Amino acid sequence: MAKAKSAVTKEEKAAAKQARKQASKERRTQLWQAFQMQRKDDKRLIPYMVGVFLLVVALGVLLGLLVGGVWLFIPLSVVLGVLAAFILFGRRVQSSVFKKAEGQPGAAGWALGNMRGQWRVKQAVVGTTHLDAVHRVIGKPGVIFVAEGNSGRVKQLLAQEKKKAARVVGDTPIYEIVVGNDEGQVPLSKLERHINKLPRNIDGKRIDALDGRLQALGGKTGAAAMPKGPMPTGAKMRGMQRTARRRS
């Protein structure tokens, strides 16, 4: 009996090890594909990555010469140089993705869906036939409505959604954001950073309660028939951004 149990345990360990190897291989493949895609569009990528790597290594060697033990600093500076190059790669991939997405219908909803952290995102809670849309985000700041499209039309949509939400959220703060490059708007590339800078006003339990109330409200009023995905670059660019984020 004990032998059988031990055998099963070994099989499970072997299967888990194989799964980890497969996942690691897939991540490396995705990273390589992301690098190839970015390299074709970004001619400065490789020179910048090499430059950052050499700069970090040079600083490490210089520090080693100053304090002594240069041979100890060389391996460390090489590791830090590789890490710095990957961080630069991730930043340029992210910037490229947002440039391709900017101005396209559904881009703000796509960006919200890719935010890191505990956010409850409901894309296109209301919209128009012109592909204007208002998305709802619930998090520690409170309730956030994010609009994209024609500024004149989305302001009216925002006012309607805020009025409906105010009936069920009590004293929870409600924020309004319009995505765009005009005055008073938030650029797509800065949307996540802008939301993360909002003050923390509520806790996790309140978030759950608000999500339930607003979902019920949405069920009564119906959601807009709007595109709810990254229209700009498709699944490859989405996976590309996520892979770069994990590595950086």
Side-chain angles (χ1 to χ4, degrees):
M1 192 76 177
K3 289 183 178 180
K5 185 176 181 181
S6 176
V8 171
T9 302
K10 287 181 179 179
E11 289 177 1
E12 290 176 347
K13 287 182 178 180
K17 185 177 181 180
Q18 184 63 31
R20 288 195 297 270
K21 285 184 178 180
Q22 184 63 28
S24 178
K25 183 179 178 180
E26 289 177 359
R27 284 195 296 270
R28 289 195 299 269
T29 301
Q30 290 175 355
L31 182 64
W32 179 248
Q33 291 174 347
F35 176 76
Q36 291 297 328
M37 292 174 67
Q38 183 66 19
R39 181 177 62 84
K40 291 178 182 177
D41 294 335
D42 186 358
K43 301 303 181 183
R44 297 181 180 180
L45 176 64
I46 294 178
Y48 280 5
M49 289 180 69
V50 173
V52 167
F53 172 78
L54 293 177
L55 177 61
V56 173
V57 171
L59 290 174
V61 172
L62 179 61
L63 183 60
L65 291 173
L66 291 175
V67 302
V70 65
W71 297 111
L72 295 175
F73 278 86
I74 289 178
L76 177 61
S77 62
V78 168
V79 172
L80 292 176
V82 171
L83 178 61
F86 268 115
I87 291 174
L88 175 67
F89 166 60
R91 295 290 183 267
R92 293 186 75 83
V93 167
Q94 187 174 2
S95 176
S96 176
V97 169
F98 278 114
K99 283 181 181 178
K100 291 177 184 293
E102 194 166 4
Q104 299 202 36
W110 161 76
L112 294 171
N114 281 282
M115 286 199 308
R116 291 168 289 184
Q118 296 180 342
W119 302 98
R120 309 292 177 84
V121 178
K122 176 69 174 177
Q123 295 185 22
V125 291
V126 67
T128 70
T129 56
H130 299 284
L131 300 183
D132 310 301
V134 173
H135 315 286
R136 183 179 69 229
V137 181
I138 306 172
K140 291 187 177 180
V143 179
I144 309 161
F145 287 112
V146 180
E148 60 178 322
N150 178 273
S151 57
R153 292 192 294 263
V154 297
K155 284 182 180 179
Q156 184 177 357
L157 294 177
L158 280 171
Q160 292 173 357
E161 287 306 302
K162 184 176 181 179
K163 184 177 180 180
K164 286 192 294 184
R167 295 200 296 264
V168 297
V169 302
D171 59 353
T172 302
I174 300 176
Y175 298 90
E176 300 174 54
I177 298 172
V178 178
V179 175
N181 296 312
D182 295 335
E183 186 177 354
Q185 298 180 343
V186 177
L188 181 67
S189 60
K190 297 181 180 179
L191 178 59
E192 182 176 357
R193 190 187 315 166
H194 180 86
I195 291 176
N196 280 320
K197 285 184 178 180
L198 294 174
R200 282 8 185 187
N201 300 307
I202 61 177
D203 58 17
K205 290 183 179 179
R206 187 75 176 273
I207 291 173
D208 292 337
L210 288 171
D211 190 33
R213 292 176 193 171
L214 291 172
Q215 289 284 7
L217 182 65
K220 293 177 181 177
T221 58
M226 292 289 294
K228 298 182 181 181
M231 298 184 70
T233 51
K236 285 188 177 179
M237 291 302 291
R238 189 176 192 176
M240 179 175 163
Q241 184 191 22
R242 287 177 174 171
T243 302
R245 277 180 167 180
R246 283 198 296 267
R247 287 288 180 176
S248 61

